[in-house]
Amino acid sequence: QVQPVESGGGSVQAGGSLRLSCVVSGSTVMNYCMGWFRQAPGKEREGVAVIDRYGNADYADSVKGRFTISKDNAMNTLFLQMHSLKSEDTALYYCAADMYACYSGSWRFPVAFRYWGQGTQVTVSS
């Protein structure tokens, strides 16, 4: 059973930075398409960034140039480095894994991912 576990969330002022981590047990991030999603209160869960098994990344337009997704295969860990945070980045951030999501053309949709973590809260105050 593949189980992602997120950490690194917290409270930060606008303009600040945070780095989220996601440790995956049960398999290796090297073999999976890995993604970060977020869900703000009253809103749908949305795709933030994705990285495939070869290290190719894609981002939502709202975070391009501010967020960077990466992974450490040896540590079996996925990261999301977030800079220049805005109040609208406030959300519960989820790590997700799937064998095929990166190649389906629909990685931005939660339904594309099979395995999910419990989420870590990011709160940005203005």
Side-chain angles (χ1 to χ4, degrees):
Q1 179 71 19
V2 178
Q3 182 60 60
V5 178
E6 307 93 336
S7 63
S11 296
V12 65
Q13 289 193 334
S17 300
L18 279 174
R19 189 176 80 155
L20 305 183
S21 299
C22 172
V23 177
V24 179
S25 62
S27 187
T28 171
V29 296
M30 187 169 62
N31 295 330
Y32 278 77
C33 171
M34 301 295 302
W36 286 101
F37 285 75
R38 66 186 181 187
Q39 187 167 17
K43 295 188 176 181
E44 294 186 351
R45 192 172 299 188
E46 62 174 355
V48 174
V50 69
I51 187 166
D52 70 12
R53 59 188 301 176
Y54 305 108
N56 301 306
D58 197 8
Y59 299 89
D61 288 344
S62 58
V63 305
K64 279 181 181 177
R66 300 189 299 122
F67 290 11
T68 302
I69 189 171
S70 62
K71 59 180 179 174
D72 186 320
N73 291 332
M75 296 175 60
N76 219 32
T77 302
L78 177 74
F79 301 100
L80 185 68
Q81 179 67 57
M82 305 183 293
H83 294 299
S84 302
L85 283 162
K86 307 174 182 179
S87 57
E88 51 263 44
D89 295 318
T90 294
L92 189 60
Y93 282 71
Y94 296 91
C95 173
D98 189 86
M99 288 292 287
Y100 309 107
C102 289
Y103 314 107
S104 67
S106 58
W107 73 262
R108 290 173 174 81
F109 301 99
V111 68
F113 285 82
R114 180 174 182 181
Y115 303 104
W116 291 86
Q118 294 301 306
T120 185
Q121 179 67 38
V122 172
T123 302
V124 184
S125 57
S126 56

